[in-house]
Amino acid sequence: MATELTWLGHGTWTIRTGEHSLILDPFLTDNPSTDVGPDDVAADFVLISHGHFDHAADLVAVATKTGATVIGIYEITDWCTKQGIAADKVHGMNIGGGFDFPFGRVKMTPAVHSSAMFDGTAIGAAGGFLLELDGKRVYFACDTALFGDMTLIGDEGIDLAVLPIGDNFTMGPADAVRATTMLRPTRVAPAHYGTWPPIAQDADAWAARIREATDAEPVVLAPGGTIAL
Ligand code: NI
Ligand code: MN
C-alpha cells in the first residue's frame, strides 16, 4: 500500500505506511481543527517532536489506549515511562540520530524552538523528523524557526516537506518559502497555522509564492485531508 499522510490540523498527522499506522504529535481533544479524539486513533507508533501542549497533550492517552511505541527525544520518552507507559513501549532518540523501525527509518533533525513538557518538566531540545517510508523521504520540520542547516537536510533528497507557516510561535510564510528553497523538496505542505487567531494565515497565497519562488509543488490540505506519497 502506498504511504498516506492525513493532516488533523495544527501539527498533528496520521501516517499509514504498509501495514503500519503512526501518529505525529497527538493534539486532539483541545484541537479546534479536528473531531478525532484519542479513542479514535489506531497507531502502532507515536512520533513526538517536543513537549508543548499543542503537540503532546494526548500523547499518554493515545499511547496507553493503542499500546503504540512512543518515538522521540530521550527526555520525553523517559517522561512517558514516569507517566506509566511501559519501558518497552518507548524508543528514545536524539537530534541527528537515525534508527530503522519496522515501518521505515526515522532520523531526528534539529529544530530551533523551546521545549518543556506541558506539565513544566524540563525536557531538552525540540526536534523534527526525517522519515524514510517505502523509499520516499518526508521531512516534518515541526515547530521551528528557519535555520541554515535545512540545506543539509535537503541534501538527503526530500519528496515531501511539511513546514510550519503560522508565524508567532514558528517560522511564518516568508521564511517557509526560504526554507523550501533550502530543502528543495518535490512537494511542500503547510501546517501549524489557522488553529487560533495569532497563527491565522492565507495558505493559498503562500502556495502562490511557493510556485513563483521555488521548484516545489505546494499541497494545501484542509484539516482531514490526505496526501499520498
Ligand atoms: Ni511548540
Ligand atoms: Mn506548536
Side-chain angles (χ1 to χ4, degrees):
M1 193 186 86
T3 298
E4 290 187 339
L5 301 93
T6 298
W7 187 44
L8 297 182
H10 204 58
T12 303
W13 293 77
T14 57
I15 301 168
R16 300 198 57 147
T17 184
E19 14 181 271
H20 296 285
S21 298
L22 288 68
I23 185 166
L24 167 67
D25 286 352
F27 171 53
L28 300 167
T29 308
D30 293 318
N31 180 345
S33 299
T34 187
D35 294 329
V36 174
D39 291 344
D40 306 321
V41 173
D44 41 3
F45 292 90
V46 181
L47 296 164
I48 184 79
S49 67
H50 66 299
H52 288 157
F53 177 82
D54 59 314
H55 299 260
D58 293 293
L59 171 61
V60 171
V62 167
T64 303
K65 166 94 182 160
T66 59
T69 298
V70 179
I71 299 169
I73 201 159
Y74 172 80
E75 286 81 357
I76 292 187
T77 57
D78 186 51
W79 177 87
C80 284
T81 63
K82 290 171 184 149
Q83 311 304 308
I85 296 175
D88 65 350
K89 289 292 183 182
V90 301
H91 185 109
M93 299 181 68
N94 214 317
I95 307 294
F99 188 82
D100 291 312
F101 291 92
F103 60 84
R105 185 164 181 81
V106 176
K107 186 175 180 183
M108 281 207 78
T109 59
V112 178
H113 191 73
S114 64
S115 187
M117 286 323 286
F118 57 85
D119 67 3
T121 310
I123 43 113
F129 293 103
L130 181 62
L131 307 182
E132 198 173 314
L133 304 170
D134 203 19
K136 303 272 189 180
R137 286 206 187 83
V138 185
Y139 170 53
F140 286 98
C142 301
D143 281 15
T144 187
L146 179 69
F147 56 91
D149 286 355
M150 286 185 176
T151 301
L152 298 178
I153 297 171
D155 287 345
E156 303 214 24
I158 296 172
D159 294 285
L160 174 68
V162 178
L163 303 179
I165 68 161
D167 221 344
N168 195 71
F169 301 113
T170 66
M171 64 174 138
D175 280 352
V177 172
R178 297 169 71 195
T180 304
T181 303
M182 288 194 272
L183 291 162
R184 293 153 281 147
T186 307
R187 291 190 286 174
V188 60
H192 212 276
Y193 71 97
T195 324
W196 302 290
I199 58 172
Q201 296 295 342
D202 182 342
D204 292 326
W206 176 80
R209 289 161 72 184
I210 289 286
R211 281 199 190 88
E212 268 173 36
T214 80
D215 295 325
E217 179 196 342
V219 186
V220 175
L221 297 177
T226 293
I227 301 172
L229 285 188

